[in-house]
Amino acid sequence: MGYTLSQKLIKSHLLSGEMVPGTEIGLKIDQTLTQDATGTMAYLEFEAMGVPRVKTELSVAYVDHNTLQTGFENADDHRFIASCAKKHGLKYSRPGNGICHQVHLERFGKPGKTLIGSDSHTPTGGGIGMLAIGAGGLDVAVAMGGGAYYITMPEVVLVRLSGKLSPFVSAKDVILKVLQILSVKGGVGKIIEYGGEGVKTLSVPERATITNMGAELGATTSVFPSDEITKEFLRAQGRENDWIELLPDSSAKYDKVIDINLSMLEPLAAMPHMPDNVKSVREIGNIKIDQVCIGSCTNSSFTDMMKVSKILKGKKVHPDVSLVIAPGSMQVLNMLALNGALSDMISAGARILESACGPCIGMGQSPNSKGVSLRTFNRNFEGRSGTADAGIYLVSPETAAVSAIAGVLTDPTTCSDDVSVSLPEKFVINDGMIIDPVPADEADSVEIKYGPNIKPFPTTEKLPEKLEAKAVLKVGDNITTDHIMPAGAKILPYRSNIPYLSKFCFRQCDEDFAEHCKEAGKGVIIGGSNYGQGSSREHAALVPLYLGIKAVITKSFARIHCANLVNAGIIPFTFKDPADFDKISVGDMLAVDSIREKIENDLPITLKNLTNGEEYQLCCDISSRQRDIILEGGLLNYTRERA
Ligand code: MIC
Ligand code: SF4
């Protein structure tokens, strides 16, 4: 039997386990990336592991999330990350050089290689034929130290593309269509592989838009073949030598096939407050809008920006609309400046932001109260924009730009202008904002620069014999890591300060959550299905750990968050009978006897509700390696113990 592209990538990096879906496999990791909001923790963890230099082929530390510098905190974090990179053998991408995923695609991504990144949108690299996966910071730290990265062997879904996109219909509409079909839970435990004749009509940046937002499906990753189009992109980036051809075998078998005819697609939008709440722009109608934001790792490539500038050229942004544009990288911004497109944007009334995540993570540009904001981003979770009652619609750059002029949501296919853009033959290459590390024999002379905002991460203890803790919170389905540990301009500067962050934990669900945890001493969280979807931030596990959370019991978990909980030493339980969810109330005292023995030997687990006298059966669906991690009280203890 032939292999799918995903299976080929896994097979060539398999260190342990067998390629049987649902079982744990260990992968060799060629490249890693971090961004600053998760990177400070990752480097503190790397330091704690005591490995002097990274052992990967390439590791890059990006700064793109916290670039506002409203106080000393961001700048201190940047300096800390820069010093770690210099000492430990990583490349450092300075603030202003761009969003990690965009820059990595342009300058470092290589077909056939594995990449893990401490950011959930790392699968962007799948657009260039990489096996690129989002992970928690600690998993990235371990991979930098040469350790394997463990995942559950996924099933492979083929999205078979045919036809060709019509003018003003975009790669964003393709992934919104997939989200409409599969939902935010539909990708869990799966790799989404793109194939079919339609693939040949999509450029690398378009493919990367699609794999980027595959994160919103909950998928392990998404991947496109590496073909002549990939080669052309790499040639234009001066990296033709990095190209290899990578195609699935013609006899490959897929677990599921979804057919999408690109010619039949129309402009779509994800309505508030979930990326899978998708309707066509036409159906939603001409709603009045207050703001348009163009950028983010989903839609900030040179070609996206050129389409936007062509739409804006010679026009005026509607007086009731604020249009902000953040080109994805220094390369993109520089090329727009050189060819005059930037001037077309500015003349139309666009507000140009630096090349960074910016409004996507709530770092500025929060909409007005009850505002309607169209964004080319990938997430529209409630409150993420910084305005709790704003309505965020996720759209393509074409829809965003046309609507910014009209003042209302507008189907861009109603335009007659020609805005076709082709890939440049040569990108403008300037790696001046990427700093190399010192050679290994000079590393001792580099001092790591800690600032006062950088606090050590919470310590953990070995799993005790018995668990007894209070149900401190009960939440419903699809809770995101933005609910657990919000981001935004006021909180993000404290990503390396767990004690401070703890005040904001679950604030959207229970304003006094931190207080309740302190009163309880030891706590358990009760959740619905797909608990922990969204961002890879391990703070969503480390902060609950700091607040005394010992276990989270849900109907089901999202992949990265579940791994982060285990890494933090918090037990992820699921209900054997989901109906038991309804039987537990906040305040109930819960207990599991002989929990150590049960976790160690994978024995059935009974949860006793000491408050109402009931008993429930729980599952702990983790690998034997993860059981050992839980017994040791987290991955850091486990790694140290074995070093
Ligand atoms: C996000 O889009 O939510 C982030 C910010 O990029 C996160 C990482 C983080 O929380 O720092 C992600 O997606 O992993
Ligand atoms: Fe940055 Fe937004 Fe992309 Fe996250 S989703 S990496 S915040 S641009």
Side-chain angles (χ1 to χ4, degrees), residues 192-221:
I192 314 295
E193 190 170 313
Y194 289 83
E197 281 303 300
V199 160
K200 293 189 193 136
T201 67
L202 298 172
S203 67
V204 167
E206 288 176 310
R207 296 173 182 186
T209 293
I210 295 170
T211 56
N212 169 284
M213 213 173 157
E216 274 54 65
L217 297 165
T220 304
T221 188

PDB file of all heavy atoms in Angstrom, residues 192-221:
ATOM      1  N   ILE A 192      -4.776  17.256   7.856  1.00  0.00           N
ATOM      2  CA  ILE A 192      -5.560  17.605   6.670  1.00  0.00           C
ATOM      3  C   ILE A 192      -4.559  17.761   5.519  1.00  0.00           C
ATOM      4  O   ILE A 192      -3.710  18.660   5.539  1.00  0.00           O
ATOM      5  CB  ILE A 192      -6.346  18.921   6.872  1.00  0.00           C
ATOM      6  CG1 ILE A 192      -7.070  18.940   8.237  1.00  0.00           C
ATOM      7  CG2 ILE A 192      -7.316  19.157   5.721  1.00  0.00           C
ATOM      8  CD1 ILE A 192      -8.167  17.927   8.424  1.00  0.00           C
ATOM      9  N   GLU A 193      -4.659  16.870   4.565  1.00  0.00           N
ATOM     10  CA  GLU A 193      -3.726  16.883   3.431  1.00  0.00           C
ATOM     11  C   GLU A 193      -4.467  17.381   2.190  1.00  0.00           C
ATOM     12  O   GLU A 193      -5.559  16.916   1.899  1.00  0.00           O
ATOM     13  CB  GLU A 193      -3.211  15.452   3.227  1.00  0.00           C
ATOM     14  CG  GLU A 193      -2.077  15.351   2.254  1.00  0.00           C
ATOM     15  CD  GLU A 193      -1.439  13.954   2.258  1.00  0.00           C
ATOM     16  OE1 GLU A 193      -1.145  13.399   3.337  1.00  0.00           O
ATOM     17  OE2 GLU A 193      -1.244  13.421   1.155  1.00  0.00           O
ATOM     18  N   TYR A 194      -3.860  18.321   1.492  1.00  0.00           N
ATOM     19  CA  TYR A 194      -4.512  18.884   0.301  1.00  0.00           C
ATOM     20  C   TYR A 194      -3.956  18.223  -0.948  1.00  0.00           C
ATOM     21  O   TYR A 194      -2.744  17.979  -1.054  1.00  0.00           O
ATOM     22  CB  TYR A 194      -4.337  20.403   0.269  1.00  0.00           C
ATOM     23  CG  TYR A 194      -5.174  21.057   1.352  1.00  0.00           C
ATOM     24  CD1 TYR A 194      -4.696  21.146   2.664  1.00  0.00           C
ATOM     25  CD2 TYR A 194      -6.468  21.500   1.089  1.00  0.00           C
ATOM     26  CE1 TYR A 194      -5.483  21.697   3.678  1.00  0.00           C
ATOM     27  CE2 TYR A 194      -7.255  22.056   2.098  1.00  0.00           C
ATOM     28  CZ  TYR A 194      -6.756  22.141   3.375  1.00  0.00           C
ATOM     29  OH  TYR A 194      -7.542  22.668   4.377  1.00  0.00           O
ATOM     30  N   GLY A 195      -4.832  17.891  -1.869  1.00  0.00           N
ATOM     31  CA  GLY A 195      -4.407  17.241  -3.103  1.00  0.00           C
ATOM     32  C   GLY A 195      -5.393  17.548  -4.219  1.00  0.00           C
ATOM     33  O   GLY A 195      -6.271  18.399  -4.072  1.00  0.00           O
ATOM     34  N   GLY A 196      -5.225  16.857  -5.330  1.00  0.00           N
ATOM     35  CA  GLY A 196      -6.122  17.075  -6.470  1.00  0.00           C
ATOM     36  C   GLY A 196      -5.558  18.121  -7.419  1.00  0.00           C
ATOM     37  O   GLY A 196      -4.630  18.858  -7.081  1.00  0.00           O
ATOM     38  N   GLU A 197      -6.168  18.193  -8.573  1.00  0.00           N
ATOM     39  CA  GLU A 197      -5.690  19.082  -9.639  1.00  0.00           C
ATOM     40  C   GLU A 197      -5.678  20.556  -9.226  1.00  0.00           C
ATOM     41  O   GLU A 197      -4.832  21.336  -9.654  1.00  0.00           O
ATOM     42  CB  GLU A 197      -6.592  18.921 -10.879  1.00  0.00           C
ATOM     43  CG  GLU A 197      -6.288  17.675 -11.703  1.00  0.00           C
ATOM     44  CD  GLU A 197      -4.843  17.652 -12.166  1.00  0.00           C
ATOM     45  OE1 GLU A 197      -4.451  18.586 -12.890  1.00  0.00           O
ATOM     46  OE2 GLU A 197      -4.112  16.708 -11.781  1.00  0.00           O
ATOM     47  N   GLY A 198      -6.617  20.923  -8.359  1.00  0.00           N
ATOM     48  CA  GLY A 198      -6.758  22.326  -7.947  1.00  0.00           C
ATOM     49  C   GLY A 198      -5.538  22.860  -7.207  1.00  0.00           C
ATOM     50  O   GLY A 198      -5.305  24.072  -7.166  1.00  0.00           O
ATOM     51  N   VAL A 199      -4.747  21.951  -6.604  1.00  0.00           N
ATOM     52  CA  VAL A 199      -3.558  22.366  -5.861  1.00  0.00           C
ATOM     53  C   VAL A 199      -2.617  23.174  -6.756  1.00  0.00           C
ATOM     54  O   VAL A 199      -2.013  24.157  -6.324  1.00  0.00           O
ATOM     55  CB  VAL A 199      -2.859  21.101  -5.284  1.00  0.00           C
ATOM     56  CG1 VAL A 199      -1.418  21.374  -4.928  1.00  0.00           C
ATOM     57  CG2 VAL A 199      -3.610  20.605  -4.062  1.00  0.00           C
ATOM     58  N   LYS A 200      -2.531  22.763  -7.997  1.00  0.00           N
ATOM     59  CA  LYS A 200      -1.592  23.417  -8.929  1.00  0.00           C
ATOM     60  C   LYS A 200      -1.959  24.872  -9.211  1.00  0.00           C
ATOM     61  O   LYS A 200      -1.167  25.623  -9.765  1.00  0.00           O
ATOM     62  CB  LYS A 200      -1.581  22.658 -10.263  1.00  0.00           C
ATOM     63  CG  LYS A 200      -0.990  21.276 -10.134  1.00  0.00           C
ATOM     64  CD  LYS A 200      -0.800  20.649 -11.507  1.00  0.00           C
ATOM     65  CE  LYS A 200      -0.523  19.168 -11.355  1.00  0.00           C
ATOM     66  NZ  LYS A 200      -1.271  18.334 -12.294  1.00  0.00           N
ATOM     67  N   THR A 201      -3.195  25.262  -8.878  1.00  0.00           N
ATOM     68  CA  THR A 201      -3.604  26.644  -9.153  1.00  0.00           C
ATOM     69  C   THR A 201      -3.321  27.558  -7.963  1.00  0.00           C
ATOM     70  O   THR A 201      -3.597  28.750  -8.018  1.00  0.00           O
ATOM     71  CB  THR A 201      -5.115  26.714  -9.463  1.00  0.00           C
ATOM     72  OG1 THR A 201      -5.844  26.378  -8.252  1.00  0.00           O
ATOM     73  CG2 THR A 201      -5.522  25.735 -10.555  1.00  0.00           C
ATOM     74  N   LEU A 202      -2.803  26.989  -6.871  1.00  0.00           N
ATOM     75  CA  LEU A 202      -2.593  27.793  -5.655  1.00  0.00           C
ATOM     76  C   LEU A 202      -1.111  28.043  -5.419  1.00  0.00           C
ATOM     77  O   LEU A 202      -0.308  27.104  -5.424  1.00  0.00           O
ATOM     78  CB  LEU A 202      -3.191  27.076  -4.436  1.00  0.00           C
ATOM     79  CG  LEU A 202      -4.715  26.839  -4.470  1.00  0.00           C
ATOM     80  CD1 LEU A 202      -5.146  25.953  -3.299  1.00  0.00           C
ATOM     81  CD2 LEU A 202      -5.481  28.157  -4.428  1.00  0.00           C
ATOM     82  N   SER A 203      -0.768  29.300  -5.144  1.00  0.00           N
ATOM     83  CA  SER A 203       0.627  29.660  -4.862  1.00  0.00           C
ATOM     84  C   SER A 203       0.985  29.249  -3.430  1.00  0.00           C
ATOM     85  O   SER A 203       0.099  28.934  -2.628  1.00  0.00           O
ATOM     86  CB  SER A 203       0.802  31.173  -5.014  1.00  0.00           C
ATOM     87  OG  SER A 203       0.068  31.821  -3.993  1.00  0.00           O
ATOM     88  N   VAL A 204       2.271  29.302  -3.090  1.00  0.00           N
ATOM     89  CA  VAL A 204       2.686  28.959  -1.722  1.00  0.00           C
ATOM     90  C   VAL A 204       2.017  29.864  -0.676  1.00  0.00           C
ATOM     91  O   VAL A 204       1.487  29.366   0.317  1.00  0.00           O
ATOM     92  CB  VAL A 204       4.230  28.944  -1.589  1.00  0.00           C
ATOM     93  CG1 VAL A 204       4.659  28.909  -0.123  1.00  0.00           C
ATOM     94  CG2 VAL A 204       4.798  27.740  -2.334  1.00  0.00           C
ATOM     95  N   PRO A 205       1.998  31.194  -0.862  1.00  0.00           N
ATOM     96  CA  PRO A 205       1.295  32.004   0.152  1.00  0.00           C
ATOM     97  C   PRO A 205      -0.176  31.622   0.300  1.00  0.00           C
ATOM     98  O   PRO A 205      -0.715  31.637   1.415  1.00  0.00           O
ATOM     99  CB  PRO A 205       1.441  33.438  -0.373  1.00  0.00           C
ATOM    100  CG  PRO A 205       2.650  33.398  -1.254  1.00  0.00           C
ATOM    101  CD  PRO A 205       2.691  32.032  -1.858  1.00  0.00           C
ATOM    102  N   GLU A 206      -0.824  31.261  -0.801  1.00  0.00           N
ATOM    103  CA  GLU A 206      -2.235  30.846  -0.695  1.00  0.00           C
ATOM    104  C   GLU A 206      -2.349  29.529   0.072  1.00  0.00           C
ATOM    105  O   GLU A 206      -3.223  29.352   0.923  1.00  0.00           O
ATOM    106  CB  GLU A 206      -2.847  30.687  -2.094  1.00  0.00           C
ATOM    107  CG  GLU A 206      -3.068  32.018  -2.788  1.00  0.00           C
ATOM    108  CD  GLU A 206      -3.574  31.884  -4.215  1.00  0.00           C
ATOM    109  OE1 GLU A 206      -2.976  31.108  -5.009  1.00  0.00           O
ATOM    110  OE2 GLU A 206      -4.557  32.551  -4.553  1.00  0.00           O
ATOM    111  N   ARG A 207      -1.457  28.610  -0.222  1.00  0.00           N
ATOM    112  CA  ARG A 207      -1.453  27.330   0.491  1.00  0.00           C
ATOM    113  C   ARG A 207      -1.210  27.564   1.978  1.00  0.00           C
ATOM    114  O   ARG A 207      -1.803  26.902   2.833  1.00  0.00           O
ATOM    115  CB  ARG A 207      -0.352  26.423  -0.072  1.00  0.00           C
ATOM    116  CG  ARG A 207      -0.587  26.037  -1.528  1.00  0.00           C
ATOM    117  CD  ARG A 207       0.603  25.291  -2.097  1.00  0.00           C
ATOM    118  NE  ARG A 207       0.375  24.962  -3.506  1.00  0.00           N
ATOM    119  CZ  ARG A 207       1.182  24.212  -4.230  1.00  0.00           C
ATOM    120  NH1 ARG A 207       2.294  23.709  -3.699  1.00  0.00           N
ATOM    121  NH2 ARG A 207       0.899  23.949  -5.492  1.00  0.00           N
ATOM    122  N   ALA A 208      -0.320  28.518   2.267  1.00  0.00           N
ATOM    123  CA  ALA A 208       0.024  28.783   3.672  1.00  0.00           C
ATOM    124  C   ALA A 208      -1.155  29.401   4.430  1.00  0.00           C
ATOM    125  O   ALA A 208      -1.322  29.158   5.623  1.00  0.00           O
ATOM    126  CB  ALA A 208       1.249  29.690   3.745  1.00  0.00           C
ATOM    127  N   THR A 209      -1.972  30.194   3.745  1.00  0.00           N
ATOM    128  CA  THR A 209      -3.192  30.724   4.381  1.00  0.00           C
ATOM    129  C   THR A 209      -4.078  29.560   4.812  1.00  0.00           C
ATOM    130  O   THR A 209      -4.648  29.545   5.908  1.00  0.00           O
ATOM    131  CB  THR A 209      -3.961  31.624   3.388  1.00  0.00           C
ATOM    132  OG1 THR A 209      -3.177  32.786   3.135  1.00  0.00           O
ATOM    133  CG2 THR A 209      -5.320  32.032   3.911  1.00  0.00           C
ATOM    134  N   ILE A 210      -4.160  28.559   3.943  1.00  0.00           N
ATOM    135  CA  ILE A 210      -5.047  27.417   4.201  1.00  0.00           C
ATOM    136  C   ILE A 210      -4.500  26.541   5.338  1.00  0.00           C
ATOM    137  O   ILE A 210      -5.231  26.165   6.255  1.00  0.00           O
ATOM    138  CB  ILE A 210      -5.235  26.595   2.897  1.00  0.00           C
ATOM    139  CG1 ILE A 210      -5.978  27.465   1.864  1.00  0.00           C
ATOM    140  CG2 ILE A 210      -5.975  25.294   3.171  1.00  0.00           C
ATOM    141  CD1 ILE A 210      -6.030  26.884   0.464  1.00  0.00           C
ATOM    142  N   THR A 211      -3.187  26.247   5.309  1.00  0.00           N
ATOM    143  CA  THR A 211      -2.640  25.393   6.372  1.00  0.00           C
ATOM    144  C   THR A 211      -2.604  26.150   7.702  1.00  0.00           C
ATOM    145  O   THR A 211      -2.805  25.567   8.758  1.00  0.00           O
ATOM    146  CB  THR A 211      -1.222  24.885   6.029  1.00  0.00           C
ATOM    147  OG1 THR A 211      -0.364  26.006   5.758  1.00  0.00           O
ATOM    148  CG2 THR A 211      -1.239  23.976   4.819  1.00  0.00           C
ATOM    149  N   ASN A 212      -2.356  27.459   7.627  1.00  0.00           N
ATOM    150  CA  ASN A 212      -2.341  28.286   8.846  1.00  0.00           C
ATOM    151  C   ASN A 212      -3.646  28.117   9.613  1.00  0.00           C
ATOM    152  O   ASN A 212      -3.660  27.789  10.797  1.00  0.00           O
ATOM    153  CB  ASN A 212      -2.145  29.757   8.445  1.00  0.00           C
ATOM    154  CG  ASN A 212      -2.369  30.740   9.576  1.00  0.00           C
ATOM    155  OD1 ASN A 212      -3.493  31.019   9.949  1.00  0.00           O
ATOM    156  ND2 ASN A 212      -1.291  31.253  10.144  1.00  0.00           N
ATOM    157  N   MET A 213      -4.748  28.305   8.924  1.00  0.00           N
ATOM    158  CA  MET A 213      -6.030  28.328   9.619  1.00  0.00           C
ATOM    159  C   MET A 213      -6.595  26.933   9.842  1.00  0.00           C
ATOM    160  O   MET A 213      -7.645  26.766  10.461  1.00  0.00           O
ATOM    161  CB  MET A 213      -7.011  29.223   8.863  1.00  0.00           C
ATOM    162  CG  MET A 213      -7.968  29.916   9.808  1.00  0.00           C
ATOM    163  SD  MET A 213      -8.987  31.103   8.952  1.00  0.00           S
ATOM    164  CE  MET A 213     -10.357  31.190  10.103  1.00  0.00           C
ATOM    165  N   GLY A 214      -5.853  25.921   9.391  1.00  0.00           N
ATOM    166  CA  GLY A 214      -6.186  24.544   9.755  1.00  0.00           C
ATOM    167  C   GLY A 214      -6.114  24.376  11.267  1.00  0.00           C
ATOM    168  O   GLY A 214      -6.735  23.473  11.835  1.00  0.00           O
ATOM    169  N   ALA A 215      -5.355  25.272  11.933  1.00  0.00           N
ATOM    170  CA  ALA A 215      -5.293  25.237  13.406  1.00  0.00           C
ATOM    171  C   ALA A 215      -6.691  25.368  13.990  1.00  0.00           C
ATOM    172  O   ALA A 215      -7.002  24.763  15.015  1.00  0.00           O
ATOM    173  CB  ALA A 215      -4.401  26.366  13.920  1.00  0.00           C
ATOM    174  N   GLU A 216      -7.540  26.148  13.312  1.00  0.00           N
ATOM    175  CA  GLU A 216      -8.897  26.371  13.843  1.00  0.00           C
ATOM    176  C   GLU A 216      -9.787  25.135  13.696  1.00  0.00           C
ATOM    177  O   GLU A 216     -10.871  25.077  14.256  1.00  0.00           O
ATOM    178  CB  GLU A 216      -9.534  27.585  13.159  1.00  0.00           C
ATOM    179  CG  GLU A 216      -9.179  28.902  13.819  1.00  0.00           C
ATOM    180  CD  GLU A 216      -7.685  29.140  13.976  1.00  0.00           C
ATOM    181  OE1 GLU A 216      -6.964  29.277  12.966  1.00  0.00           O
ATOM    182  OE2 GLU A 216      -7.206  29.159  15.117  1.00  0.00           O
ATOM    183  N   LEU A 217      -9.342  24.144  12.933  1.00  0.00           N
ATOM    184  CA  LEU A 217     -10.089  22.879  12.839  1.00  0.00           C
ATOM    185  C   LEU A 217      -9.737  21.959  14.002  1.00  0.00           C
ATOM    186  O   LEU A 217     -10.303  20.891  14.147  1.00  0.00           O
ATOM    187  CB  LEU A 217      -9.724  22.146  11.542  1.00  0.00           C
ATOM    188  CG  LEU A 217     -10.050  22.830  10.219  1.00  0.00           C
ATOM    189  CD1 LEU A 217      -9.304  22.153   9.077  1.00  0.00           C
ATOM    190  CD2 LEU A 217     -11.554  22.764   9.975  1.00  0.00           C
ATOM    191  N   GLY A 218      -8.733  22.355  14.774  1.00  0.00           N
ATOM    192  CA  GLY A 218      -8.243  21.466  15.835  1.00  0.00           C
ATOM    193  C   GLY A 218      -7.331  20.385  15.290  1.00  0.00           C
ATOM    194  O   GLY A 218      -6.968  19.449  16.002  1.00  0.00           O
ATOM    195  N   ALA A 219      -6.939  20.501  14.021  1.00  0.00           N
ATOM    196  CA  ALA A 219      -6.123  19.455  13.374  1.00  0.00           C
ATOM    197  C   ALA A 219      -4.697  19.441  13.934  1.00  0.00           C
ATOM    198  O   ALA A 219      -4.191  20.469  14.388  1.00  0.00           O
ATOM    199  CB  ALA A 219      -6.071  19.709  11.872  1.00  0.00           C
ATOM    200  N   THR A 220      -4.066  18.281  13.864  1.00  0.00           N
ATOM    201  CA  THR A 220      -2.667  18.174  14.279  1.00  0.00           C
ATOM    202  C   THR A 220      -1.823  19.068  13.383  1.00  0.00           C
ATOM    203  O   THR A 220      -0.957  19.798  13.838  1.00  0.00           O
ATOM    204  CB  THR A 220      -2.196  16.710  14.179  1.00  0.00           C
ATOM    205  OG1 THR A 220      -3.085  15.920  14.968  1.00  0.00           O
ATOM    206  CG2 THR A 220      -0.778  16.535  14.669  1.00  0.00           C
ATOM    207  N   THR A 221      -2.061  18.991  12.089  1.00  0.00           N
ATOM    208  CA  THR A 221      -1.484  19.943  11.150  1.00  0.00           C
ATOM    209  C   THR A 221      -2.187  19.798   9.805  1.00  0.00           C
ATOM    210  O   THR A 221      -3.083  18.970   9.639  1.00  0.00           O
ATOM    211  CB  THR A 221       0.048  19.780  11.002  1.00  0.00           C
ATOM    212  OG1 THR A 221       0.567  20.870  10.213  1.00  0.00           O
ATOM    213  CG2 THR A 221       0.428  18.474  10.331  1.00  0.00           C
TER     214      THR A 221
END
